[in-house]
Amino acid sequence: MKVLTVSGYKSFELGIFKNDDQAVTYIKKAIEKILKNYLEDGLEWVMISGQMGVELWTAEVVFDLQLDYPNLKLAILTPFLNQDSKWNKTNKEFYEFIVSQADYVDSITKREYDSPLQFRQKNEFLITKSDGLLLVYDEEKQGSPKFLLDSAKRKQENTDFLIELITFQDLQDVVEEENIKNSESW
């Protein structure tokens, strides 16, 4: 696998309103662990659409991994121009920092938001252009990632497209592993 789309819940869907929330640390550790496995097998690009939450946290993970894996690249393909136009100042600044560090940035539709169809086009484009999907998503708790997952499942019907989910149980396992590590270091 050379190109992996990574997505998941938006921060508000997880009840997370600050990027320094402890839960973000665990989500990023879960993503990092999986990305490292793919890097060992030749992963070259991580693609996101730049939405708040899992996608921007993934970008931070990629930036950290680039220190040890300098050939790893980050692509941000937004569904439309000026996706952050209605975001608050803090979120805009975070987004602009991520965009400034990405290896490739473009918009799938070359216009500002005008239709929900642009989100469907984004999902189809990301799935078409990648070899797999890593999704922080639990099918027990529906949310916006469902539509991207549905698109990936359609592709998987005819190809060997990889879909890997990080569920709430997976995140709980990361929390427990980290707690054990931290207690051992005392």
Side-chain angles (χ1 to χ4, degrees), residues 17-43:
F17 301 100
K18 293 186 176 195
N19 289 322
D20 62 355
D21 188 301
Q22 184 64 40
V24 174
T25 305
Y26 299 124
I27 293 167
K28 287 167 69 173
K29 285 198 178 296
I31 293 166
E32 178 184 22
K33 185 176 173 184
I34 292 170
L35 288 182
K36 279 184 175 179
N37 289 334
Y38 290 133
L39 282 162
E40 298 301 325
D41 292 332
L43 178 66

Side-chain angles (χ1 to χ4, degrees), residues 64-127:
D64 288 344
L65 287 171
Q66 285 174 331
L67 299 173
D68 293 323
Y69 301 90
N71 294 332
L72 177 63
K73 305 249 183 302
L74 176 70
I76 302 174
L77 296 156
T78 66
F80 45 83
L81 297 172
N82 301 315
Q83 140 171 289
D84 63 331
S85 65
K86 295 189 175 15
W87 297 1
N88 69 37
K89 183 181 180 205
T90 303
N91 289 343
K92 271 186 183 202
E93 287 173 355
F94 180 54
Y95 176 75
E96 288 166 5
F97 167 75
I98 298 294
V99 167
S100 73
Q101 303 296 307
D103 297 288
Y104 182 82
V105 180
D106 201 0
S107 292
I108 295 164
T109 62
K110 307 295 187 210
R111 60 190 191 280
E112 295 204 3
Y113 177 80
D114 62 18
S115 164
L117 178 62
Q118 288 168 295
F119 292 107
R120 188 174 325 141
Q121 290 170 321
K122 176 227 12 163
N123 290 342
E124 293 298 325
F125 185 87
L126 291 175
I127 296 305

